[in-house]
Each structure stands twice: as C-alpha cells, then as structure tokens.
Amino acid sequence: MKKIIVALTVMSIMVGSLATVCLAAYVPHTIKSTGFNNRFNGSYYYDIGWCKTKTDEGYRSEVTVGLYKDGRWQAYNTTKVHGGSTLTCYSQKIQGSGSEGLYYSVSDYID
C-alpha cells in the first residue's frame, strides 16, 4: 500500500510540474514584425520605429517601442492591444536621422 501511495504522489507531482511548465510557457501575443527607418514628411526627415503585434482572443497586451539615438534610448511610445487583433505600435518621431537601434517590449496587462 505504501508503494502505491508513494507512486501516486510522485506521479501527481510530475503531472503538476509539467502542467505548470506548459502554462508558464504560453504567451498570448506574437511579434509579427519590428523595425525602424528614416522617413520624410515633406518638410524634414525623421526616424520612427515600430512593432507589429497580434494578441490572442481574450487577452490584452501592452506594447512599448523606443529608438536608440545619440547614445541613449528615446522616443518611447506605448500602445494597448486588445485580444483578437493585430496592431502596430509606432515610436515617437525623432527629427533627423541616425537611429542605431530599436527597443520593443510586449507584456500582458489587466484593466
């Protein structure tokens, strides 16, 4: 009887651990594309970055995008994405050119 109880206990722990790992690995949002470039608005050039994100139905995500220029991260913008939709979050514009990198972060949020 003790062997059966020990075996059931070990099996329960293993199944519970596996379920926890599987649930923790699930991410309700997908990054579709990211990037940054230089644009012209008719008067001046500016850099802008973006992160296109799809959020699963029933979830909400918060997307933040920023650009690295002149030795620091700047031009941040944050957008909230509601479940079941794909949305592109654009960074704020940095006048001129020369951005060297893109920062993006996607996390869950609760109202």
Side-chain angles (χ1 to χ4, degrees):
M1 186 68 168
K2 287 183 181 179
K3 289 182 181 179
I4 293 173
I5 292 173
V6 170
L8 288 174
T9 302
V10 169
M11 189 173 13
S12 297
I13 291 170
M14 290 174 61
V15 169
S17 297
L18 179 62
T20 301
V21 168
C22 290
L23 287 172
Y26 176 72
V27 178
H29 41 256
T30 305
I31 306 295
K32 297 293 211 176
S33 62
T34 61
F36 65 97
N37 63 12
N38 189 250
R39 296 181 179 175
F40 184 69
N41 72 356
S43 299
Y44 61 87
Y45 286 93
Y46 63 91
D47 287 342
I48 193 166
W50 71 89
C51 177
K52 186 174 186 179
T53 308
K54 177 174 179 16
T55 300
D56 293 348
E57 191 70 45
Y59 293 90
R60 293 179 179 175
S61 299
E62 188 172 82
V63 185
T64 301
V65 179
L67 290 174
Y68 190 79
K69 183 177 178 181
D70 299 330
R72 63 188 177 98
W73 290 103
Q74 53 184 313
Y76 288 98
N77 190 33
T78 300
T79 302
K80 293 183 177 172
V81 186
H82 295 280
S85 62
T86 301
L87 192 72
T88 304
C89 176
Y90 293 95
S91 71
Q92 296 174 358
K93 299 174 183 178
I94 301 178
Q95 191 168 340
S97 62
S99 290
E100 301 169 346
L102 171 71
Y103 166 85
Y104 63 91
S105 171
V106 183
S107 59
D108 302 333
Y109 86 91
I110 300 171
D111 281 333

